Amino acid sequence: MSGALQRIKVGDEYRDAWESAVRENPACGFMQSLTWAELQARQGVEVYPRLWLRDGRIEGGAIFQAARSLDGPGILVTPGGPLVPWHDPGRAAVLFAAIRREACRLRRRTDSILWRIEPRLAPPLPPYLRGFVRAPVDFDPFETNEVELSGGMAGVLVRMTSKGRYNVGLARRHGVEIEVTTDPASAARFHPLLVETAARQGFAAEPLCYLMDLAAILFPARMAAAFFATYGGETLAAAIVVFFGPRATYLYGASRREHREVMAPSALQAGIMAEAIERGCATYDLYGIDVQGDRTDHSYRRLSQFKRRFGGANRVHVGAHDLYGYDRIADAMLRFMRHLAVEEEPACRLAP
């Protein structure tokens, strides 16, 4: 290492360099992009981009987001990051210490009780991340499945299971068609199918206003697109996919019960991978899988068998980790106890 670290705010001058650095770091995800940060800001989230230079070049940094509750303290998060040269432990330890100091400052400023990070690293955590504990919730699934896209669609099909190849071919023979669009208005077309799928599978669907904002920001930036699989003029399956650096990510998916025999979801996945190859992606992240394959309570249990048919490899990351600010927790508890005391104080009564 040569020069000293210099912290600055991410402005227009460094925007392109930041985006390139995040795209090229395998331990970072699309949630550390400034475009994604703009989406969060539109949702009312406070965003604090910070980067550190060494000898005039980006060494790393973090996009911090402060999510506050309406009736108490919030949390400070760095999803899909921070941006650190993890491959070089010496540089990484020095930079992470600087990022940690800034996180502690922002945690106090935003009245947050913890700082949550989520680098896409294989376990265990590096030793210089002392004090962090496993978070109860992940932004990204920490168990996922990634399909290699080398060799074009011919290579992808060869690596699929026989069942996967058969279903893709069957959908083609049935005449299932795939539409790819970056028209922001397509979010309104996608949402009813998502709501239908959520009700059937027991998860909460994103509200339409959020998907409209996502499409309005990410689609024109060519960072995402909507996919629709149709049969006989009827949409049977759909997805929203993020394209960032060498990785495409299956962010949201939905399907209908009708005409399951034509295998529209399989055709949809093949169409997504073909588009990812066209955009120069090296891998397709199917975004959540039951790696063990035997957990009946796993949130991705129903989808895991389907996703495995596309010939991907399981990946396990460390997942989200929290660094608690125990002073802020104590303050929050005191405020809560005072609030309870006021609520439970008996009303004044006239003396008999």
Side-chain angles (χ1 to χ4, degrees):
M1 292 183 292
S2 52
L5 289 174
Q6 176 190 4
R7 180 181 69 81
I8 64 173
K9 296 181 180 180
V10 182
D12 291 341
E13 179 184 0
Y14 289 98
R15 182 185 179 95
D16 291 344
W18 172 266
E19 297 291 89
S20 294
V22 173
R23 282 194 295 265
E24 293 167 5
N25 190 311
C28 275
F30 61 85
M31 292 184 185
Q32 277 296 284
S33 74
L34 289 166
T35 306
W36 186 266
E38 290 170 8
L39 171 62
Q40 301 311 303
R42 184 173 291 197
Q43 304 304 307
V45 176
E46 298 174 20
V47 178
Y48 302 92
R50 299 289 188 271
L51 68 81
W52 278 258
L53 302 178
R54 188 189 299 278
D55 297 329
R57 301 184 63 180
I58 292 179
E59 179 76 350
I63 295 181
F64 300 96
Q65 301 173 13
R68 302 192 190 189
S69 61
L70 296 176
D71 56 355
I75 63 174
L76 187 71
V77 300
T78 303
L83 172 63
V84 172
W86 303 102
H87 65 283
D88 187 329
R91 290 168 55 202
V94 172
L95 175 60
F96 190 84
I99 296 174
R100 180 172 179 156
R101 288 191 294 271
E102 179 66 7
C104 290
R105 188 185 72 82
L106 287 173
R107 183 173 49 77
R108 291 189 294 269
R109 172 178 169 179
T110 59
D111 195 26
S112 300
I113 62 173
L114 61 86
W115 175 38
R116 179 169 296 167
I117 63 172
E118 196 174 35
R120 295 173 61 95
L121 296 172
L125 282 179
Y128 48 84
L129 269 66
R130 63 189 184 281
F132 283 85
V133 297
R134 188 67 170 91
V137 176
D138 294 290
F139 298 110
D140 281 345
F142 76 99
E143 296 176 328
T144 188
N145 188 279
E146 291 187 357
V147 179
E148 181 186 341
L149 300 178
S150 62
M153 279 305 296
V156 169
L157 287 167
V158 166
R159 289 185 291 270
M160 284 186 190
T161 67
S162 58
K163 182 65 172 177
R165 282 193 300 275
Y166 176 80
N167 287 349
V168 170
L170 183 61
R172 186 182 301 115
R173 290 192 293 275
H174 275 295
V176 175
E177 297 181 348
I178 304 300
E179 176 188 349
V180 186
T181 177
T182 54
D183 181 359
S186 62
R189 177 183 171 190
F190 173 77
H191 189 254
L193 202 62
L194 180 65
V195 171
E196 178 183 331
T197 305
R200 186 174 71 245
Q201 297 186 357
F203 65 87
E206 296 284 5
L208 175 59
C209 59
Y210 176 78
L211 293 181
M212 293 291 287
D213 285 344
L214 182 151
I217 293 174
L218 269 59
F219 284 13
R222 285 187 52 80
M223 190 172 160
F227 293 76
F228 298 94
T230 60
Y231 171 72
E234 183 179 1
T235 300
L236 299 181
I240 291 178
V241 177
V242 171
F243 301 94
F244 190 73
R247 187 187 305 125
T249 303
Y250 179 47
L251 190 60
Y252 298 112
S255 63
R256 300 190 65 184
R257 284 186 178 275
E258 290 78 8
H259 302 295
R260 303 296 285 181
E261 73 281 359
V262 304
M263 301 299 169
S266 294
L268 183 74
Q269 294 300 323
I272 292 169
M273 287 184 276
E275 177 69 13
I277 291 168
E278 181 70 22
R279 288 175 178 244
C281 294
T283 59
Y284 174 44
D285 187 351
L286 284 162
Y287 215 53
I289 197 170
D290 176 9
V291 168
Q292 300 300 322
D294 58 358
R295 293 165 56 183
T296 59
D297 61 339
H298 198 284
S299 58
Y300 296 107
R301 179 177 61 86
R302 295 180 179 179
L303 293 173
S304 295
Q305 184 178 7
F306 171 74
K307 291 181 177 181
R308 285 194 178 92
R309 293 172 181 169
F310 299 104
N314 292 337
R315 299 281 185 262
V316 179
H317 303 124
V318 294
H321 278 72
D322 294 339
L323 181 67
Y324 284 89
Y326 293 102
D327 55 336
R328 311 310 299 172
I329 294 175
D331 290 344
M333 290 181 65
L334 285 173
R335 288 196 298 269
F336 179 68
M337 295 302 293
R338 292 192 189 106
H339 177 71
L340 284 182
V342 170
E343 283 191 342
E344 294 177 0
E345 185 176 339
C348 294
R349 293 181 294 176
L350 295 173

